[in-house]
Amino acid sequence: MIVVDDIAMRVLGARLATVVRPGDVIALKGGLGAGKTTLARGLLSALGLEEDAPSPSFALVQPYDVPLVRLPVAHVDLYRLEDDADVQELGLDDYLTDSLLMIEWPERLGARLWDHSLVLSIEVTPDGSRRLTALVPDAWRDRWPPQ
């Protein structure tokens, strides 16, 4: 899938918001500036967040709860983490009970990424658009791509 610009990336996030459920994991892969946070902002906005969501790169985990959003979301950025102990301290499993877990830089989880995760890899193309590749698990088969 080709995403032509930031507006289209936000629209994709908004379309994802129509199909997400508690317990879902969306793993966002891509280099710096690929559009991971832009997609997350589109999703959060479509879930009702009125302000622009900050990048969670310093907070690591940015939770959003009802009534700010219609579904609890934990927006996670693992870019600055370097070892397994740091990841374990975040307690990400706890969010799977009732929240959507959206993870930037999921590579830092290694083999611990949940099997039911929708993995979206974003690559910047020479013309500045984004090539998005999806690894779609069974839990997402009837929801991807979102309409």
Side-chain angles (χ1 to χ4, degrees):
M1 165 186 301
I2 298 295
V3 181
V4 295
D5 57 21
D6 284 353
I7 293 170
M9 190 66 78
R10 281 182 174 260
V11 168
L12 176 59
R15 289 188 355 227
L16 273 169
T18 66
V19 297
V20 292
R21 303 173 185 154
D24 280 344
V25 177
I26 299 174
L28 301 171
K29 293 183 171 186
L32 291 170
K36 300 178 298 294
T37 301
T38 301
L39 186 145
R41 286 177 175 149
L43 187 148
L44 287 162
S45 178
L47 289 177
L49 188 66
E50 292 182 7
E51 68 267 5
D52 206 21
S55 172
S57 49
F58 291 103
L60 301 182
V61 178
Q62 181 65 51
Y64 298 94
D65 291 309
V66 175
L68 291 177
V69 288
R70 70 171 171 79
L71 165 77
V73 177
H75 185 189
V76 181
D77 187 328
L78 301 178
Y79 180 72
R80 297 180 331 144
L81 295 187
E82 296 190 16
D83 67 36
D84 284 347
D86 292 337
V87 173
Q88 289 177 357
E89 285 181 27
L90 296 177
L92 299 179
D93 288 320
D94 296 342
Y95 291 102
L96 295 178
T97 335
D98 63 354
S99 301
L100 163 65
L101 190 55
M102 202 166 21
I103 304 173
E104 297 186 33
W105 302 96
E107 304 86 341
R108 303 287 202 259
L109 290 171
R112 290 186 305 166
L113 185 63
W114 298 268
D115 291 340
H116 70 283
S117 301
L118 173 66
V119 180
L120 303 178
S121 298
I122 307 167
E123 175 190 355
V124 180
T125 64
D127 68 1
S129 63
R130 307 307 197 253
R131 177 176 290 112
L132 191 137
T133 307
L135 180 59
V136 183
D138 288 342
W140 282 86
R141 292 254 181 245
D142 63 338
R143 298 182 281 158
W144 181 264
Q147 302 303 317

